[in-house]
Amino acid sequence: MHKVAEFAGLIYAVFIRPITILFEVLFSITYQAVPVPLFALTVMSLVVNLLVLPLYNRADELQEASRKKEEKLRPMAEHIKKVFSGDEKVMILQTYYNQMGYSPLETLKSSVSLLLQIPFFIAAYTMISSLIVLKGSSAGPIKDLSLPDSMLHIGSFSVNVLPILMTAINILSCLVFVKGKSLKEKLQLFITAGVFLVLLYNSPSGLVYYWTCNNIFSLVKNIVVSFMKKKEKPAPVKDPLQNRIFIVNALVLSIFVGVSIPADYLVRATVDLLRIDNFINPAGYLWYSAAIAFGLFFVWCGVFYALSSHKKVMNCVMVTITLCSIFNYFAMYTNYGDMTRFLTFIRGVDMPEAKEVLISIAVTFAMGALVVLLQKNRPKLLLAITAVLIPAFAVFSGINIVNINDKCNTYSYIKDYDVDPTIKLSSSGKNVVVIMLDRAQGCFFPYIINENEAIRDSFDGFTYYPDCISFGQHTNLGIPALLGGYEYTPASMNARADMSLKDKHNEALLLMPALFDGLGYDVTVIDPPYANYMEISDLSIYDQYPGVEAYYTYTAMNPYSDQMVSSWDNMMKRDLFFYGAFFALPSYLRPTIYDGGYYNDLNERYSERYIQDTQGCSVARGANSEYLDSYYLMDNLSDFTVVDGQSEGSFLYIDNLSTHSPMLLDEPDYSVSFSVDNTEYDMAHVDRFEVDGTVLPYDDITTLTLYEVNVGAYIDLAQWFDYLRACGVYDNTRIIIVADHGGLMYLGPDSLSDNGLITSGYNPILLVKDFDAHGFTVSDEFMTNAETPYLAVSGLIEDPVNPFTGNPITSIRDMDGDIICAGSSQHTVSTNNGNTFLPGDWYRLTDPEEPLDVDSWEYMGCW
Amino acid sequence: MVLYIDPGTGSMLFTIIISVIGFVAYISRVLWVKVKYTVSRGKIDKADQDKIPILIFAEAKRYWSVFEPICIELDKKGAKVVYWTTSEDDPALTQDSCKNLKVEFVGKGNKAFAKLNMVNATVIVSSTPGLNVYQWKRSKLADYYIHVQHGANDIAGYRMFGVDYFDAILLSGEYQTDEVRELEKKRNLPAKDIELVGIPYMDALRKRIEAAPAPDHEGTCVLLAPSWGNNSIFNRFGTKVLEELLNTGYRIIVRPHPQSFISDPEMMENIMKDFPESEKLHWDTNSDNFESLHNADILISDFSGIIFDFTLAFDKPLLYANVDFKTDCYDYYWLDRTPWTLEILPELGLELNGEDLGGIKGMIDRCLTEERFRLGREKARSETWVHMGEGAVRTADYILRKHKELAGA
């Protein structure tokens, strides 16, 4: 049954979806320019009717020609039917039709215009009847466009006027159309008009309005046609070469836009799209993008082509589109930065510079001119040029699809993961907790406790180290030192060039668990990053330590998971095609098609969505899916915590991405909301962003949203600490809150150097609470996040030693070398995975007293 | 949810439903015919590896008389010919007059057509009409199809589209060429290659007549050769025709069409019981009709091909039954002209209808004695039997010439 539904979905994608998309784009663009639904419906009706007018005219001509041919053949056909019987009748009739160049398919030609209308009806019906903007939207006497109009009231009885008006116009149109036709035909039309009035009487008024517009258009067309003399057009000359050119180009565009470009994205994003709670191979969505592209370029352009009397001209347009698409993708490719799993670019899509626009337009004209020239002189060459693209793109796509499948197979182990963690804490022994908040910014903390004193109270015993740096600005570069100490800074890892980065990274991940396991502690590890250098951690590296319980919970805690998966599924089925079209279009048209990440899907814009769309710095719609996927682990820490009175002690490592996923939260409690409006609170609490005369640039949305998710994390931690206190396991617990790196934010002129260094990227949070510590202190001591293992084992293990290298685990205080940090942006472990890190910029911290001042850093070069 | 369709569309909806149903019904019938053929044709061997240079296809054993003179002529010229027949008892299978002729029984009905439809041959010669209309389709591996006549009259006398898909037609009269050209024009078909070669089997028949001893009976001998079915003489006139014939005192040979014993067994049994074999009445059921035709002085028949063999080769008159001949299902129907057969018949003999039966003796005598019928036969021969005596040679020459052209191409 599921397969049948999928097949039906694909059929829908081929025949209906391209038209729905046309409607949606037209409506969306118009509505965003003039947010009046009736105006958008009118424009949509007008444009669609004008667009399909030549199609219908040609269909009418074909219908007429087919009817005439049938008339001509009828006497002999009737004679054959009369004098022959059985199989012979069929065979003789078939021969007769063949000889007369008539296919029985032509009986369907008489219905071409109706056949064409049906998908347009279904598309319009589907689109308009589900249009969210019509709900509650009034227009003149119509109170709600999503309901029947009920404009007239006679006593307690209400009358829908619009369907009556629509039928009146329709009858008028029929009157013009049936002029000179038989009474039977006239009656048939009028009776049917009446029947449909009854059937449609209770339809949404927006829908009826759209059809009224169509009927007005039809009326005007019929009036114009009735005054025009019918001209016999010669039948188009059959040109197999042109047909081949069309077919080849339609296929090239279908494959390129529907498969190649989306597959090129999917192969890069496969891992980001895999979910532990819904493991789906994303390559499956290529069926949908391919179906829509095939429907658009092959089926619907094919319908236009088949009915066109200017096939050469149409082919010129098709080939130009093909060549320009390829040029746009390969030559005018723009890196819009990271994407969310909902096909939106985190940085957004801006209009390109005028120079780029001019180049793009010039190339289009040049391509067009070349195509016209070839069409005139060497049409076979035109065919050859485009025909070679089919195998090229098929192979290109095929390789990508194979790679996507391989990746999915590689990561299939996540399906067996235990997603229900148990955090064991000892009430009798000692507990060490390391909480790694990805990208948590060191400098945010003073503002957070300035705004929310309760957090400061809950963080009793903590020391805050504002002058803390990380050794990289990305997790792959910053986390090894955090977990393994100074032997695992990027420079130190590169120095051990005889060993793979994967093995060195694994050593770092295992160092603290191994040490504490050796002490007989209960060890729990939650969501360690890049275990075995896999983007979704391969927890099998912990198998060698039976005392270590490792969990992977990312995506599994999200309470919105089902809705999110369903929303994503619907989005992929539609927008993956848009993604292909986006890159095939010239860069100056991309912002229009991208539409702020909504791809002109108005319903998506106005419904609960799993991407956050911010308007200014206080208002937002939707929620960031990555935040939802990670936040709920932090929100439920107490539920997973189990206090054990018998154990020797516990070590817990939690890695969390909520602080890495910027999003506006609902103030003042910083909770998740799909509709955020903090205007009032923000206006009243501007002063929260000023501490000791320094103002956090809160008007920068990136800074602000990162700040918000940091607050969210600390609120959750504060609650958990309160819970630990209540359970009596706070004082015997050492807690280190640390980040692998900071966020790349502009925090004033001191934070940005001429050579591109942003110091905020090297400023992770470091908060340390030792056993039985109380009060809240701020230390001006210089620190690095590589201090973590030393701090964790300090006092518990005498002269701690790295179990893998045999070297002592040291503190910054014992170091005498330079602090050298990696500035590389090669953050993907699937590519940056040799024995040493891929080349990148390197910086030396020359003045540890002022680590956040760019003047304290020296650029060392790129290697 | 009600599908939203405007009233104008609604009315057209009926049209489309009817069109779709009509189309589906038509296609279903076409497919059904194909399925039936596929099932009945049996297993097909893969196409012959070696190309047959010249293949003659005979749909029944009776066509051996049509092809034998051609085969002999081809054999004389050393041509290697393959002869496919659908009759297990085809005399061709036991012939010994052509050393280079390879005769094969290829099965009956659709089995034979399945083999033919895949055959790998340069030239295919046949007298079977309906190529590419019925189950017999042109093979993609065959280069050239030649039709030879098995009757000395109109080529438009076949059921519709009879010879449309042959590449060449070998004819025996100019009027036949006109018929083919008229049909081609009306059906938008490319012009076929037409060659006037004469009628080989009639030439052979003529030779056989000349070689045969003169009939040994005294007095007039009448051959009654009715065909079968509703329009046959027995079905239309009953036994009155036999009664009246016996009353003439002439010797009567009755040679019913073999099919009449199958389609009207009861009627035939009764007639044979009521009119038993006697001195004056002989029932001829031999497969070879030569003896009867040779012995008879006059033929009484309804509308069939035998009348031209009799009048033109044996040079004898006939009485033809007044059969209301309908051209409806024949290629004749497409022609603007009156079929040659119908035009020439009054010049070859008298027409017999139910009311004239009493005067049948007078009619027989008139036919036998009046000069105009002899002249009519002369005229008919000149129009429908060109190159008399040269048919086999000309046909063989044409086939070999065509084979050479194609094989050398």
Side-chain angles (χ1 to χ4, degrees):
Chain A
M1 203 58 206
H2 181 63
K3 291 275 170 203
V4 173
E6 272 187 2
F7 182 71
L10 286 174
I11 296 292
Y12 182 86
V14 171
F15 294 101
I16 311 292
R17 186 69 97 175
I19 312 171
T20 320
I21 282 172
L22 170 74
F23 287 163
E24 285 171 351
V25 172
L26 277 173
F27 190 91
S28 167
I29 291 172
T30 318
Y31 186 77
Q32 287 182 67
V34 182
V36 179
L38 282 197
F39 177 74
L41 285 172
T42 313
V43 171
M44 192 172 100
S45 165
L46 193 68
V47 174
V48 170
N49 276 295
L50 282 173
L51 204 65
V52 298
L53 185 61
L55 205 65
Y56 284 139
N57 282 347
R58 187 74 191 117
D60 287 345
E61 283 166 25
L62 274 182
Q63 185 178 342
E64 186 64 17
S66 170
R67 198 184 56 76
K68 279 185 181 167
K69 194 163 196 177
E70 272 179 47
E71 285 298 316
K72 198 178 152 197
L73 301 188
R74 180 164 295 136
M76 182 57 86
E78 291 297 328
H79 174 78
I80 289 170
K81 284 177 193 169
K82 197 175 80 191
V83 301
F84 292 95
S85 61
D87 294 349
E88 187 181 20
K89 179 164 81 178
V90 178
M91 291 188 275
I92 293 283
L93 206 56
Q94 204 182 359
T95 308
Y96 174 61
Y97 284 151
N98 280 344
Q99 289 189 350
M100 296 300 127
Y102 175 79
S103 157
L105 264 175
E106 295 208 24
T107 54
L108 296 179
K109 264 193 189 172
S110 59
S111 314
V112 164
S113 53
L114 178 68
L115 275 173
L116 284 176
Q117 284 186 55
I118 288 175
F120 276 86
F121 290 148
I122 297 172
Y125 181 87
T126 320
M127 186 254 172
I128 298 173
S129 59
S130 63
L131 208 51
I132 291 177
V133 293
L134 294 188
K135 277 184 187 155
S137 178
S138 63
I142 306 168
K143 285 178 187 150
D144 188 337
L145 286 167
S146 67
L147 299 171
D149 61 75
S150 306
M151 273 198 269
L152 206 65
H153 292 274
I154 304 167
S156 60
F157 187 72
S158 63
V159 178
N160 299 329
V161 178
L162 211 50
I164 297 169
L165 183 70
M166 180 199 79
T167 311
I169 293 166
N170 201 7
I171 288 174
L172 204 61
S173 178
C174 291
L175 278 173
V176 180
F177 185 71
V178 299
K179 213 171 163 185
K181 298 216 165 146
S182 69
L183 180 69
K184 191 183 153 196
E185 281 175 291
K186 285 177 190 170
L187 269 178
Q188 195 183 2
L189 279 171
F190 296 138
I191 290 170
T192 323
V195 168
F196 277 87
L197 168 65
V198 175
L199 279 176
L200 308 171
Y201 185 72
N202 282 319
S203 290
S205 46
L207 194 60
V208 183
Y209 174 79
Y210 174 75
W211 249 280
T212 310
C213 291
N214 283 356
N215 286 341
I216 292 171
F217 188 91
S218 168
L219 172 65
V220 173
K221 188 191 86 174
N222 286 344
I223 291 171
V224 172
V225 169
S226 71
F227 283 107
M228 281 166 63
K229 279 187 181 172
K230 275 192 180 175
K231 273 191 256 175
E232 285 280 336
K233 278 192 185 170
V237 182
K238 283 187 180 171
D239 189 342
L241 178 63
Q242 290 303 319
N243 292 349
R244 280 201 287 274
I245 292 175
F246 174 80
I247 289 169
V248 162
N249 274 275
L251 285 176
V252 170
L253 278 169
S254 301
I255 298 171
F256 185 59
V257 176
V259 186
S260 301
I261 302 178
D264 198 25
Y265 155 71
L266 288 181
V267 78
R268 285 180 276 118
T270 307
V271 185
D272 298 334
L273 302 178
L274 296 178
R275 289 181 70 82
I276 197 165
D277 57 342
N278 182 49
F279 191 87
I280 289 175
N281 182 344
Y285 291 100
L286 289 172
W287 284 108
Y288 288 90
S289 56
I292 298 172
F294 183 77
L296 178 65
F297 298 117
F298 200 91
V299 176
W300 283 106
C301 286
V303 169
F304 273 86
Y305 175 81
L307 296 174
S308 166
S309 18
H310 305 286
K311 291 188 165 47
K312 283 189 175 180
V313 177
M314 201 172 154
N315 270 343
C316 282
V317 176
M318 279 293 279
V319 181
T320 308
I321 291 174
T322 306
L323 298 180
C324 285
S325 300
I326 295 161
F327 176 82
N328 291 334
Y329 187 61
F330 290 109
M332 302 293 280
Y333 183 80
T334 310
N335 185 357
Y336 294 98
D338 291 341
M339 287 189 81
T340 69
R341 55 188 281 114
F342 281 84
L343 300 177
T344 59
F345 297 98
I346 290 165
R347 279 203 342 247
V349 174
D350 298 323
M351 195 67 180
E353 290 175 8
K355 187 180 153 195
E356 195 180 321
V357 176
L358 287 175
I359 291 172
S360 208
I361 291 171
V363 167
T364 308
F365 275 103
M367 294 259 193
L370 178 72
V371 169
V372 170
L373 209 67
L374 285 174
Q375 174 70 289
K376 235 175 177 178
N377 303 306
R378 305 285 297 275
K380 278 189 180 170
L381 190 60
L382 209 57
L383 177 67
I385 291 170
T386 42
V388 294
L389 296 171
I390 293 181
F393 289 140
V395 171
F396 174 65
S397 309
I399 292 170
N400 278 340
I401 291 168
V402 168
N403 287 336
I404 296 167
N405 289 336
D406 283 351
K407 281 192 180 182
C408 284
N409 290 336
T410 306
Y411 285 94
S412 61
Y413 55 78
I414 69 168
K415 288 188 274 188
D416 302 324
Y417 275 172
D418 181 359
V419 294
D420 201 9
T422 301
I423 298 171
K424 286 181 191 165
L425 291 179
S426 171
S427 57
S428 50
K430 302 277 189 193
N431 301 306
V432 176
V433 174
V434 176
I435 298 169
M436 203 294 273
L437 297 177
D438 202 314
R439 193 155 81 168
Q441 192 66 42
C443 68
F444 282 164
F445 200 72
Y447 301 95
I448 292 169
I449 54 175
N450 177 44
E451 179 182 353
N452 194 331
E453 287 200 7
I455 293 178
R456 185 209 294 258
D457 295 343
S458 294
F459 275 59
D460 181 32
F462 273 91
T463 301
Y464 165 55
Y465 294 92
D467 290 336
C468 177
I469 63 133
S470 62
F471 289 86
Q473 297 182 94
H474 295 284
T475 301
N476 62 327
L477 296 156
I479 197 92
L482 183 156
L483 294 166
Y486 294 99
E487 279 190 274
Y488 298 93
T489 65
S492 301
M493 283 173 82
N494 273 1
R496 290 164 66 196
D498 57 341
M499 195 174 175
S500 71
L501 287 173
K502 180 179 88 172
D503 290 341
K504 287 177 273 194
H505 182 89
N506 284 348
E507 280 183 7
L509 283 177
L510 290 167
L511 188 137
M512 285 191 282
L515 288 176
F516 285 105
D517 188 46
L519 287 180
Y521 278 32
D522 291 322
V523 178
T524 307
V525 176
I526 299 174
D527 298 338
Y530 304 138
N532 229 4
Y533 248 30
M534 300 298 278
E535 303 209 28
I536 301 177
S537 282
D538 175 5
L539 301 181
S540 65
I541 64 161
Y542 295 99
D543 290 350
Q544 56 186 305
Y545 301 100
V548 176
E549 296 287 343
Y551 300 93
Y552 189 85
T553 69
Y554 184 67
T555 76
M557 304 282 166
N558 185 349
Y560 300 94
S561 192
D562 289 346
Q563 298 97 304
M564 210 166 101
V565 165
S566 162
S567 169
W568 180 74
D569 179 67
N570 288 332
M571 180 280 309
M572 286 292 277
K573 284 174 180 170
R574 176 188 185 272
D575 291 350
L576 198 56
F577 162 77
F578 271 95
Y579 177 88
F582 172 85
F583 277 107
L585 283 169
S587 53
Y588 58 89
L589 288 179
R590 288 176 191 166
T592 310
I593 204 81
Y594 180 70
D595 181 33
Y598 294 104
Y599 294 101
N600 288 292
D601 186 344
L602 267 190
N603 284 352
E604 191 70 10
R605 187 179 279 275
Y606 291 100
S607 60
E608 204 163 84
R609 199 166 182 245
Y610 299 94
I611 311 164
Q612 193 172 58
D613 184 22
T614 52
Q615 290 147 26
C617 287
S618 297
V619 178
R621 288 185 58 82
N624 182 345
S625 61
E626 287 169 7
Y627 185 75
L628 300 177
D629 281 336
S630 48
Y631 167 73
Y632 288 94
L633 170 68
M634 302 297 285
D635 201 37
N636 293 301
L637 283 176
S638 306
D639 295 342
F640 305 127
T641 306
V642 174
V643 176
D644 185 348
Q646 306 295 318
S647 79
E648 287 287 319
S650 298
F651 171 73
L652 168 67
Y653 172 78
I654 300 176
D655 189 295
N656 192 256
L657 280 167
S658 65
T659 43
H660 192 275
S661 315
M663 162 165 158
L664 275 190
L665 297 171
D666 204 26
E667 296 164 357
D669 52 358
Y670 291 87
S671 59
V672 171
S673 170
F674 285 83
S675 179
V676 173
D677 188 352
N678 294 330
T679 313
E680 212 174 306
Y681 182 86
D682 285 345
M683 296 280 277
H685 296 87
V686 178
D687 59 339
R688 65 190 158 136
F689 295 116
E690 184 175 346
V691 173
D692 299 334
T694 307
V695 177
L696 193 73
Y698 61 89
D699 50 352
D700 171 56
I701 190 67
T702 309
T703 307
L704 181 68
T705 47
L706 279 173
Y707 172 83
E708 300 248 325
V709 292
N710 273 264
V711 182
Y714 294 124
I715 288 176
D716 281 340
L717 287 174
Q719 286 168 357
W720 188 52
F721 296 157
D722 293 344
Y723 178 77
L724 297 185
R725 264 188 287 274
C727 295
V729 288
Y730 189 73
D731 284 341
N732 66 333
T733 301
R734 174 183 284 163
I735 303 171
I736 304 164
I737 299 169
V738 63
D740 49 351
H741 56 85
L744 294 170
M745 291 171 295
Y746 178 72
L747 298 173
D750 290 347
S751 70
L752 178 67
S753 77
D754 294 340
N755 55 27
L757 170 70
I758 303 173
T759 54
S760 60
Y762 294 105
N763 178 219
I765 185 71
L766 179 62
L767 288 159
V768 183
K769 181 195 92 70
D770 211 343
F771 305 115
D772 300 314
H774 290 282
F776 182 85
T777 53
V778 178
S779 167
D780 58 0
E781 189 182 356
F782 171 69
M783 271 292 187
T784 77
N785 63 357
E787 199 73 6
T788 307
Y790 179 84
L791 291 171
V793 300
S794 180
L796 297 175
I797 301 173
E798 205 177 326
D799 299 326
V801 170
N802 181 335
F804 305 105
T805 63
N807 296 326
I809 295 169
T810 54
S811 164
I812 186 80
R813 298 176 190 105
D814 308 323
M815 282 186 66
D816 51 6
D818 289 336
I819 300 289
I820 296 170
C821 301
S824 168
S825 58
Q826 303 274 2
H827 57 79
T828 315
V829 292
S830 58
T831 50
N832 198 354
N833 57 9
N835 281 9
T836 55
F837 290 106
L838 291 172
D841 293 331
W842 291 88
Y843 299 93
R844 178 187 290 117
L845 180 65
T846 53
D847 181 7
E849 295 295 312
E850 295 289 340
L852 298 184
D853 185 346
V854 286
D855 294 335
S856 304
W857 294 76
E858 180 187 75
Y859 179 63
M860 298 172 74
C862 177
W863 65 78
Chain B
M1 184 174 83
V2 177
L3 182 65
Y4 195 96
I5 297 179
D6 77 22
T9 305
S11 66
M12 284 202 282
L13 196 59
F14 299 119
T15 321
I16 192 171
I17 289 168
I18 289 161
S19 301
V20 168
I21 291 171
F23 174 68
V24 169
Y26 178 83
I27 289 297
S28 310
R29 296 254 4 220
V30 170
L31 287 176
W32 174 235
V33 170
K34 280 190 179 166
V35 166
K36 277 204 290 187
Y37 163 64
T38 311
V39 170
S40 62
R41 74 184 177 190
K43 197 180 156 193
I44 305 173
D45 294 332
K46 60 177 184 172
D48 297 74
Q49 296 296 315
D50 301 322
K51 207 170 185 87
I52 300 169
I54 297 165
L55 172 72
I56 295 174
F57 169 61
E59 200 191 357
K61 62 180 179 183
R62 64 177 175 275
Y63 296 114
W64 174 239
S65 61
V66 173
F67 292 116
E68 188 182 20
I70 301 169
C71 289
I72 290 170
E73 209 54 49
L74 286 167
D75 197 62
K76 273 189 208 164
K77 295 173 194 290
K80 288 197 171 173
V81 178
V82 175
Y83 189 94
W84 282 3
T85 175
T86 63
S87 299
E88 278 176 286
D89 54 349
D90 194 311
L93 288 161
T94 52
Q95 66 83 32
D96 56 3
S97 49
C98 307
K99 285 178 188 164
N100 292 319
L101 186 68
K102 186 182 168 193
V103 186
E104 290 172 23
F105 166 63
V106 288
K108 289 177 180 170
N110 284 335
K111 280 188 183 161
F113 289 128
K115 204 162 167 128
L116 269 175
N117 295 353
M118 301 276 286
V119 72
N120 184 4
T122 307
V123 173
I124 297 177
V125 183
S126 181
S127 71
T128 305
L131 172 64
N132 248 25
V133 177
Y134 300 113
Q135 286 88 340
W136 183 23
K137 306 293 178 197
R138 286 182 67 109
S139 164
K140 287 189 173 73
L141 302 171
D143 302 326
Y144 207 72
Y145 285 80
I146 300 171
H147 181 81
V148 295
Q149 282 183 285
H150 58 259
N153 57 331
D154 296 281
I155 190 72
Y158 290 130
R159 292 176 87 77
M160 271 187 203
F161 314 115
V163 291
D164 284 355
Y165 297 97
F166 283 91
D167 299 296
I169 310 179
L170 305 185
L171 298 173
S172 62
E174 199 59 55
Y175 75 94
Q176 294 164 344
T177 307
D178 296 341
E179 288 178 353
V180 173
R181 295 296 182 227
E182 188 178 340
L183 289 172
E184 283 170 351
K185 198 175 166 192
K186 288 188 167 158
R187 294 172 183 169
N188 309 314
L189 295 168
K192 285 177 271 291
D193 197 13
I194 292 176
E195 180 107 339
L196 294 184
V197 293
I199 319 170
Y201 88 91
M202 290 273 276
D203 292 339
L205 185 58
R206 188 79 204 133
K207 273 188 191 167
R208 190 175 169 190
I209 295 164
E210 283 165 3
D216 58 354
H217 63 84
E218 286 179 4
T220 304
C221 179
V222 180
L223 172 61
L224 175 66
S227 63
W228 57 278
N230 290 339
N231 282 327
S232 68
I233 288 176
F234 283 147
N235 271 304
R236 282 165 57 86
F237 304 147
T239 52
K240 193 164 188 299
V241 66
L242 265 179
E243 286 167 21
E244 293 297 337
L245 278 174
L246 286 172
N247 288 341
T248 60
Y250 295 147
R251 187 169 168 242
I252 312 296
I253 303 171
V254 188
R255 184 181 166 80
H257 192 284
Q259 182 65 28
S260 52
F261 292 103
I262 297 164
S263 55
D264 293 313
E266 203 178 330
M267 181 185 79
M268 291 310 295
E269 196 183 334
N270 289 337
I271 294 174
M272 288 183 81
K273 198 172 131 193
D274 295 344
F275 299 90
E277 183 89 15
S278 66
E279 196 186 333
K280 287 288 182 186
L281 178 67
H282 171 60
W283 287 90
D284 175 18
T285 52
N286 280 339
S287 59
D288 187 6
N289 63 10
F290 183 81
E291 276 304 307
S292 294
L293 293 172
H294 188 54
N295 286 329
D297 297 302
I298 186 165
L299 170 72
I300 302 174
S301 181
D302 38 33
F303 200 78
S304 78
I306 195 176
I307 59 178
F308 290 99
D309 294 3
F310 188 77
T311 55
L312 304 187
F314 289 87
D315 196 26
K316 294 168 185 175
L318 75 127
L319 275 176
Y320 56 95
N322 174 22
V323 177
D324 186 16
F325 179 72
K326 284 195 167 61
T327 60
D328 285 353
C329 56
Y330 302 102
D331 280 331
Y332 284 138
Y333 185 80
W334 287 68
L335 299 178
D336 295 332
R337 69 191 74 203
T338 309
W340 179 84
T341 302
L342 296 181
E343 270 186 344
I344 202 75
L345 269 182
E347 298 185 47
L348 301 176
L350 289 171
E351 184 182 328
L352 181 72
N353 58 46
E355 291 150 17
D356 301 334
L357 287 176
I360 196 164
K361 183 172 186 299
M363 291 172 80
I364 291 170
D365 294 344
R366 277 176 63 199
C367 286
L368 289 169
T369 54
E370 285 183 18
E371 176 68 0
R372 63 179 174 122
F373 296 119
R374 194 187 61 76
L375 293 173
R377 293 199 291 274
E378 287 291 327
K379 184 188 171 197
R381 270 193 291 269
S382 71
E383 287 177 357
T384 201
W385 193 353
V386 298
H387 305 305
M388 199 183 288
E390 299 169 16
V393 177
R394 285 176 178 268
T395 303
D397 283 349
Y398 180 85
I399 292 168
L400 290 173
R401 192 169 74 236
K402 201 42 79 177
H403 175 258
K404 197 176 168 189
E405 273 174 36
L406 295 163

